[in-house]
Amino acid sequence: QVQLQESGPGLVKPSQTLSLTCTVSGDSISNGAYYWTWIRQHPGKGLEWVGYIYDSGSTYYSPSLKSRLTISIATSKNQFSLTLTSLTAADTAVYYCARARHSGDYEDYWGQGTLVTVSS
Amino acid sequence: DIQMTQSPSSLSASVGDRVTITCRASQSIRSYLNWYQQTPGKAPKLLIYTASSLQSGVPSRFSGSGFGTDFTLTISTLQPEDFATYYCQQSYNTPRTFGQGTKVEIQ
C-alpha cells in the first residue's frame, strides 16, 4: 500500500523559509510511471496546485509561487521536498504531497496533509 | 491559466437522491478532467480520472462524463458517507487548476 507522509514545522515566522518533506513508502520514488506533487489548501478554502517534480529532477511550478519555490527529490531516501521562501500570512495553509500518474495525469495517493501557520 | 468553474457551489440533498455537479473549463481540456472528494479534516480522495474512469475502490454510484469544456459528476443514489466537498481538476496543462468546490450537504 502506497503511503505518503508530510513532515515539517507547524509554525514559521514571517519572512522565514518553509521546508517540508514528503516520505513515500510502498513504492519507489524512482518509479518512472509517476511524478510527485505538492498541493496546498488555505483554511476553509479550495485546493491550490503548487508544483511537481519528476524522478529525473525536472520541475513545474505554479507561476504565482515560482520566484519563491523549490521542489527537490532525494531518490536514495524515497523523499521529495518543498522549500518556500519569504513567507507571509498568505502562505498559511495545509500542505499536501501526492503521487501523480503520468498516464492520465491525476493524483491517486495523497498524504494526510500538514498545517503550516505563518505567524510571529 | 485554465479557469475551472463548478456549479453549484453548494447543494442540499437527501440520502437516496441523484446528485449532479458540473464543471466547466475556460478552454478545451479534452478528457483531462479529474474529480476528488474531500471530507472535513481529510485529504482529497480521487474518484474519477480522465473524465469518466472510475478509480479503483470507488463505488459505482459515482460516474463522470464530458469532453472538451463541459463535464459532469453524478452520484446516482446519495449515501450518508457522500456528504462532502467535491472538486474538479484539469490536468491538460500546467499550472494544474481546480474548481472552487461543491459542498454537498444533508437536507
Side-chain angles (χ1 to χ4, degrees), chain A residues 67-79:
Chain A
S67 63
R68 302 190 291 127
L69 177 65
T70 301
I71 298 177
S72 57
I73 194 164
T75 54
S76 61
K77 297 181 180 179
N78 230 36
Q79 295 175 334

Side-chain angles (χ1 to χ4, degrees), chain A residues 35 41 52 96 105-107 111, chain B residues 34 36 38 43 89 91 96:
Chain A
Y35 53 96
Q41 186 170 33
Y52 60 73
Y96 295 101
D105 292 297
Y106 52 89
E107 279 76 19
Chain B
N34 309 311
Y36 299 89
Q38 187 178 35
Q89 177 210 36
S91 56
R96 304 278 192 256

Side-chain angles (χ1 to χ4, degrees), chain A residues 95-111:
Chain A
Y95 287 76
Y96 295 101
C97 61
R99 185 186 83 169
R101 299 183 74 97
H102 274 293
S103 175
D105 292 297
Y106 52 89
E107 279 76 19
D108 59 355
Y109 284 94
W110 296 61

Side-chain angles (χ1 to χ4, degrees), chain A residues 41-103:
Chain A
Q41 186 170 33
H42 296 103
K45 301 297 184 182
L47 300 167
E48 179 187 9
W49 179 80
V50 172
Y52 60 73
I53 188 166
Y54 293 120
D55 60 345
S56 65
S58 296
T59 53
Y60 292 84
Y61 297 153
S62 168
S64 64
L65 298 172
K66 189 175 183 177
S67 63
R68 302 190 291 127
L69 177 65
T70 301
I71 298 177
S72 57
I73 194 164
T75 54
S76 61
K77 297 181 180 179
N78 230 36
Q79 295 175 334
F80 64 106
S81 299
L82 170 152
T83 301
L84 190 63
T85 63
S86 304
L87 293 176
T88 71
D91 295 308
T92 294
V94 175
Y95 287 76
Y96 295 101
C97 61
R99 185 186 83 169
R101 299 183 74 97
H102 274 293
S103 175

Side-chain angles (χ1 to χ4, degrees), chain B residues 23-100:
Chain B
C23 179
R24 175 164 288 177
S26 60
Q27 66 180 74
S28 176
I29 57 171
R30 297 167 59 187
S31 294
Y32 288 93
L33 190 284
N34 309 311
W35 290 99
Y36 299 89
Q37 176 196 63
Q38 187 178 35
T39 54
K42 299 290 189 181
K45 171 188 173 183
L46 176 69
L47 298 176
I48 302 285
Y49 60 93
T50 55
S52 59
S53 297
L54 190 69
Q55 171 67 350
S56 176
V58 174
S60 59
R61 63 180 180 271
F62 291 93
S63 64
S65 64
F67 184 89
T69 61
D70 294 306
F71 301 87
T72 300
L73 173 70
T74 299
I75 309 172
S76 60
T77 308
L78 198 66
Q79 297 300 303
E81 59 268 31
D82 300 337
F83 292 96
T85 300
Y86 295 84
Y87 294 94
C88 62
Q89 177 210 36
Q90 67 82 16
S91 56
Y92 179 74
N93 65 10
T94 56
R96 304 278 192 256
T97 45
F98 291 89
Q100 80 278 18

